[in-house]
Amino acid sequence: MSDYRGDDKTRKILEDVDHAKGVMTDNINKMIDNREKVQELQENTEAMAESAQAFKKQSATVKRVMWWKNCKLMTLIIVVIIICILVICAVIAIAVAVAVSKMKK
Protein backbone atom coordinates (compact mmCIF):
# COMPACT_ATOMS: atom_id res chain seq x y z
CA MET A 1 0.00 0.00 0.00
CA SER A 2 2.83 2.46 0.67
CA ASP A 3 4.07 1.92 -2.93
CA TYR A 4 0.67 2.88 -4.15
CA ARG A 5 0.69 6.06 -2.11
CA GLY A 6 4.20 6.85 -3.37
CA ASP A 7 3.06 6.51 -6.97
CA ASP A 8 0.05 8.62 -6.18
CA LYS A 9 2.24 11.28 -4.57
CA THR A 10 4.65 11.19 -7.50
CA ARG A 11 1.80 11.49 -9.96
CA LYS A 12 0.33 14.39 -7.96
CA ILE A 13 3.72 16.15 -7.88
CA LEU A 14 4.16 15.59 -11.62
CA GLU A 15 0.67 16.97 -12.25
CA ASP A 16 1.50 20.01 -10.11
CA VAL A 17 4.77 20.49 -12.01
CA ASP A 18 2.96 20.16 -15.35
CA HIS A 19 0.34 22.66 -14.17
CA ALA A 20 3.01 25.11 -13.01
CA LYS A 21 4.83 24.58 -16.31
CA GLY A 22 1.63 25.32 -18.22
CA VAL A 23 0.98 28.46 -16.16
CA MET A 24 4.56 29.64 -16.75
CA THR A 25 4.24 28.96 -20.49
CA ASP A 26 1.00 30.94 -20.60
CA ASN A 27 2.62 33.77 -18.66
CA ILE A 28 5.61 33.82 -21.01
CA ASN A 29 3.28 33.90 -24.04
CA LYS A 30 1.28 36.73 -22.46
CA MET A 31 4.50 38.60 -21.74
CA ILE A 32 5.60 38.23 -25.37
CA ASP A 33 2.16 39.43 -26.55
CA ASN A 34 2.34 42.38 -24.17
CA ARG A 35 5.81 43.27 -25.42
CA GLU A 36 4.54 43.25 -29.01
CA LYS A 37 1.60 45.44 -27.98
CA VAL A 38 3.94 47.85 -26.20
CA GLN A 39 6.13 48.07 -29.30
CA GLU A 40 3.05 48.71 -31.42
CA LEU A 41 1.90 51.41 -29.00
CA GLN A 42 5.35 53.02 -29.12
CA GLU A 43 5.24 53.06 -32.92
CA ASN A 44 1.73 54.54 -32.86
CA THR A 45 2.84 57.14 -30.32
CA GLU A 46 5.80 58.16 -32.49
CA ALA A 47 3.57 58.39 -35.56
CA MET A 48 1.03 60.49 -33.66
CA ALA A 49 3.80 62.79 -32.37
CA GLU A 50 5.04 63.32 -35.93
CA SER A 51 1.49 63.90 -37.11
CA ALA A 52 0.87 66.38 -34.29
CA GLN A 53 4.04 68.28 -35.19
CA ALA A 54 3.00 68.46 -38.85
CA PHE A 55 -0.49 69.60 -37.82
CA LYS A 56 0.97 72.31 -35.58
CA LYS A 57 3.18 73.60 -38.40
CA GLN A 58 0.33 73.52 -40.92
CA SER A 59 -2.07 75.24 -38.53
CA ALA A 60 0.46 78.03 -37.93
CA THR A 61 0.74 78.52 -41.70
CA VAL A 62 -3.04 78.59 -42.10
CA LYS A 63 -3.32 81.06 -39.21
CA ARG A 64 -0.80 83.40 -40.83
CA VAL A 65 -2.54 83.18 -44.23
CA MET A 66 -5.95 83.86 -42.68
CA TRP A 67 -4.53 86.81 -40.71
CA TRP A 68 -3.28 88.39 -43.94
CA LYS A 69 -6.63 87.78 -45.65
CA ASN A 70 -8.38 89.40 -42.70
CA CYS A 71 -6.03 92.41 -42.88
CA LYS A 72 -6.72 92.81 -46.60
CA LEU A 73 -10.46 92.57 -46.03
CA MET A 74 -10.39 95.12 -43.21
CA THR A 75 -8.32 97.47 -45.39
CA LEU A 76 -10.83 97.11 -48.21
CA ILE A 77 -13.74 97.80 -45.87
CA ILE A 78 -12.02 100.90 -44.46
CA VAL A 79 -11.27 102.19 -47.97
CA VAL A 80 -14.90 101.67 -49.03
CA ILE A 81 -16.16 103.46 -45.90
CA ILE A 82 -13.77 106.39 -46.54
CA ILE A 83 -14.92 106.61 -50.17
CA CYS A 84 -18.58 106.58 -49.04
CA ILE A 85 -17.87 109.34 -46.53
CA LEU A 86 -16.08 111.39 -49.21
CA VAL A 87 -18.98 110.92 -51.64
CA ILE A 88 -21.49 111.94 -48.98
CA CYS A 89 -19.38 115.00 -48.09
CA ALA A 90 -19.06 115.90 -51.78
CA VAL A 91 -22.83 115.61 -52.28
CA ILE A 92 -23.47 117.75 -49.22
CA ALA A 93 -20.86 120.30 -50.34
CA ILE A 94 -22.45 120.49 -53.80
CA ALA A 95 -25.91 120.83 -52.28
CA VAL A 96 -24.70 123.61 -49.97
CA ALA A 97 -22.94 125.35 -52.88
CA VAL A 98 -26.13 125.16 -54.97
CA ALA A 99 -28.20 126.45 -52.08
CA VAL A 100 -25.80 129.31 -51.47
CA SER A 101 -25.73 130.23 -55.15
CA LYS A 102 -29.55 130.26 -55.23
CA MET A 103 -29.63 132.50 -52.17
CA LYS A 104 -27.27 134.99 -53.79
CA LYS A 105 -29.53 135.33 -56.84
Side-chain angles (χ1 to χ4, degrees):
M1 227 189 232
S2 64
D3 287 338
Y4 179 71
R5 279 190 239 161
D7 288 341
D8 196 31
K9 283 183 180 180
T10 303
R11 187 172 47 85
K12 175 69 174 150
I13 290 172
L14 288 175
E15 286 175 0
D16 289 344
V17 167
D18 285 341
H19 177 70
K21 190 173 153 183
V23 169
M24 287 175 44
T25 302
D26 288 343
N27 288 341
I28 289 171
N29 289 335
K30 288 178 183 177
M31 185 180 70
I32 291 170
D33 288 343
N34 286 340
R35 184 172 180 203
E36 290 171 357
K37 288 178 183 178
V38 166
Q39 287 175 344
E40 185 177 325
L41 284 173
Q42 285 176 337
E43 291 170 1
N44 288 344
T45 301
E46 290 170 3
M48 287 177 72
E50 290 173 7
S51 178
Q53 189 66 25
F55 176 78
K56 185 177 179 181
K57 186 176 180 180
Q58 190 175 19
S59 66
T61 302
V62 169
K63 182 180 178 182
R64 189 172 41 255
V65 167
M66 293 307 292
W67 183 82
W68 277 111
K69 283 185 178 183
N70 190 34
C71 284
K72 290 175 187 176
L73 181 63
M74 291 303 289
T75 303
L76 179 66
I77 290 171
I78 291 170
V79 167
V80 168
I81 289 173
I82 290 172
I83 290 172
C84 287
I85 291 172
L86 290 175
V87 167
I88 291 171
C89 288
V91 168
I92 291 174
I94 291 171
V96 169
V98 168
V100 169
S101 70
K102 283 185 180 179
M103 288 176 117
K104 288 184 178 180
K105 288 185 178 182

